[in-house]
């Protein structure tokens, strides 16, 4: 998997090709008239999104589209509907169209080498957004614009310490984990970071008693949490890899006659507005922010890459953590 630390810098040039194909659920969004990147030709960006599985993802899509329009870029946008084959088809379509730069948020971490080699052969640079990939050749992409998911997992564990202390919980802690999509970078890395802290500092008092994917969706979170409560009715804590699964889990917890945020303490990741609403109602205890508003950063990188300028191999987003007592004050300022 892409190592998100100690990256070198890279420079890349672009040669455009021509052609046209179709791919899964693809649309074209064009920015304002005018030129970009100091040249006479408007930059064309091909962007393949994972899907629309969560509030975070919708906010991310809106950010990319609005930033592309503001920058005056021509955006070729494709929604992969959470299927890798759709993303690969979209990337091949972008290659055939001869876009200037390709950006995508990969559904899963593996299985990209072949299509990325095709992009490299046409001298079209590739930028990863939000999620990382595993590849045999790191020259197949230029940079990653996104969060440190492993650190988000660590932060979730550390804020859980504060939640447990505030709740006055003593003794063993039985934890249920709602994982993201199997094979996706945030699911792998958030689980890894959480377990790092748990094993190092809470080996004797914390235990993950059940863990399963909820596919980053509310419906998945509700369904899986209901099953968790059937097999493990004495769960103390839920760690959900995103807000939407946590919100779905709240429905299952309430249906089981328990109080979310009290009978079962809940820590989630993302920080979407609905998550803050649940936190202001006392149903989520803490949220680790993962900022979806990557559009402006991405457009800056696209212009540099198009012009052959050097960029860092990992461009991180800035994020914060929140607990219940901050929720009502922070809620009016939520942009997503």
């Amino acid at each position: 998997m892409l190592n998100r630390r100690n990256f070198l810098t890279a420079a890349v040039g672009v040669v455009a090709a021509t052609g046209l194909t179709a791919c899964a659920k693809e649309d074209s969004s064009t920015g304002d008239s005018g030129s970009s990147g100091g040249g006479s030709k408007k930059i064309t960006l091909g962007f393949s999104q994972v899907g629309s599985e969560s509030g975070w993802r919708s906010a991310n899509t809106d950010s990319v589209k609005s930033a592309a329009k503001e920058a005056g870029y021509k955006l070729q946008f494709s929604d992969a509907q959470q299927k890798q084959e759709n993303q690969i088809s979209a990337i091949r379509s972008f290659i055939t169209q001869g876009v200037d730069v390709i950006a995508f948020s990969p559904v899963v971490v593996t299985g990209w080498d072949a299509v990325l080699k095709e992009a490299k052969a046409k001298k079209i640079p590739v930028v990863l957004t939000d999620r990382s990939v595993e590849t045999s050749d790191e020259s197949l992409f230029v940079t990653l614009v996104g969060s440190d998911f492993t650190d988000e997992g660590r932060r979730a564990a550390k804020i859980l310490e504060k939640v447990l202390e505030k709740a006055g919980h003593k003794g063993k802690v039985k934890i249920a984990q709602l994982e993201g999509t199997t094979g996706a970078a945030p699911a792998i890395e958030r689980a890894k970071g959480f377990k790092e802290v748990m094993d190092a500092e809470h080996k004797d008092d914390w235990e993950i008693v059940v863990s399963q994917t909820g596919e980053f969706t509310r419906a998945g979170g509700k369904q899986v949490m209901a099953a968790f409560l059937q097999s493990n009715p004495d769960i103390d804590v839920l760690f959900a890899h995103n807000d939407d699964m946590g919100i779905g889990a709240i429905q299952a917890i309430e249906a089981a006659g328990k109080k979310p945020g009290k009978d079962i303490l809940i820590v989630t990741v993302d920080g979407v507005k609905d998550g803050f609403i649940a936190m202001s109602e006392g149903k989520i205890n803490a949220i680790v922010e993962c900022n979806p508003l990557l559009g402006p950063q991405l457009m800056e990188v696209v212009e540099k890459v198009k012009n052959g300028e050097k960029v860092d191999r990992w461009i991180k987003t800035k994020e914060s953590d929140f607990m219940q007592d901050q929720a009502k004050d922070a809620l009016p300022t939520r942009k997503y």
Side-chain angles (χ1 to χ4, degrees):
M1 185 182 301
L2 168 63
N3 184 348
R4 295 177 171 235
R5 300 188 186 278
N6 301 321
F7 283 132
L8 301 175
T9 58
V12 63
V14 176
V15 175
T18 58
L20 178 66
T21 64
C23 66
K25 201 174 179 182
E26 186 172 342
D27 66 79
S28 175
S29 303
T30 305
D32 298 332
S33 60
S35 61
S36 298
S40 59
K41 180 178 176 291
K42 183 182 295 186
I43 291 175
T44 300
L45 170 65
F47 183 79
S48 176
Q49 181 61 281
V50 171
S52 54
E53 74 283 357
S54 65
W56 191 100
R57 191 62 56 189
S58 296
N60 181 244
T61 292
D62 290 345
S63 178
V64 170
K65 286 184 174 181
S66 63
K69 183 176 181 180
E70 184 174 347
Y73 298 169
K74 182 178 180 182
L75 179 66
Q76 301 292 343
F77 180 88
S78 177
D79 180 344
Q81 302 174 342
Q82 291 187 286
K83 295 180 180 179
Q84 184 179 33
E85 59 267 31
N86 288 347
Q87 276 198 311
I88 291 172
S89 177
I91 293 169
R92 287 190 169 128
S93 172
F94 298 151
I95 293 169
T96 303
Q97 292 175 55
V99 301
D100 296 305
V101 180
I102 292 170
F104 76 109
S105 181
V107 176
V108 294
V109 297
T110 59
W112 302 104
D113 277 23
V115 72
L116 294 184
K117 286 177 181 177
E118 292 170 27
K120 184 177 181 179
K122 293 293 184 179
K123 298 190 169 108
I124 301 175
V126 174
V127 175
L128 303 179
T129 70
D130 176 38
R131 299 179 175 186
S132 59
V133 300
E134 287 181 357
T135 177
S136 60
D137 179 2
E138 288 194 354
S139 73
L140 296 178
F141 63 91
V142 180
T143 185
L144 165 69
V145 180
S147 302
D148 186 336
F149 298 136
T150 303
D151 190 58
E152 287 173 355
R154 296 188 194 105
R155 286 158 49 202
K158 296 304 290 184
I159 206 166
L160 176 57
E161 293 175 338
K162 297 177 182 179
V163 168
L164 289 165
E165 181 181 1
K166 188 172 182 179
H169 185 93
K170 305 293 183 182
K172 297 283 186 179
V173 181
K174 294 183 178 181
I175 302 170
Q177 180 173 231
L178 275 170
E179 305 168 23
T181 303
T182 301
I188 296 168
E189 295 173 23
R190 286 172 186 161
K192 176 185 174 184
F194 188 90
K195 195 170 187 302
E196 280 181 9
V197 174
M198 190 178 78
D199 289 349
E201 302 178 25
H202 299 283
K203 192 172 183 179
D204 296 328
D205 56 329
W206 290 14
E207 180 186 3
I208 297 177
V209 295
V210 62
S211 184
Q212 186 176 322
T213 179
E215 298 291 351
F216 282 129
T217 67
R218 293 191 190 189
K222 181 179 180 180
Q223 180 180 359
V224 175
M225 189 67 196
F228 283 173
L229 291 169
Q230 288 284 333
S231 60
N232 295 271
D234 55 349
I235 291 167
D236 301 307
V237 169
L238 170 65
F239 170 41
H241 286 188
N242 79 341
D243 290 343
D244 281 83
M245 289 190 297
I247 292 166
I250 286 169
Q251 298 173 21
I253 292 167
E254 290 176 331
K258 294 178 180 287
K259 292 183 178 180
K262 292 184 178 180
D263 297 329
I264 298 178
L265 305 175
I266 300 175
V267 174
T268 66
V269 181
D270 272 355
V272 299
K273 194 162 188 175
D274 284 353
F276 268 75
I277 291 172
M279 191 162 58
S280 71
E281 295 170 345
K283 297 179 179 182
I284 290 177
N285 300 86
I287 295 176
V288 173
E289 183 183 33
C290 180
N291 192 342
L293 306 181
L294 307 180
Q297 284 180 294
L298 175 59
M299 299 314 145
E300 291 175 6
V301 169
V302 167
E303 182 170 356
K304 288 180 179 179
V305 167
K306 170 65 170 63
N307 293 334
E309 298 177 35
K310 291 182 178 180
V311 295
D312 292 337
R313 285 283 286 173
W314 182 19
I315 299 167
K316 300 181 186 180
T317 54
K318 295 181 179 180
E319 298 155 342
S320 304
D321 299 336
F322 301 89
M323 290 184 67
Q324 275 181 2
D325 54 4
Q326 300 169 278
K328 289 183 180 178
D329 290 338
L331 186 56
T333 65
R334 284 287 91 185
K335 295 181 180 179
Y336 48 89

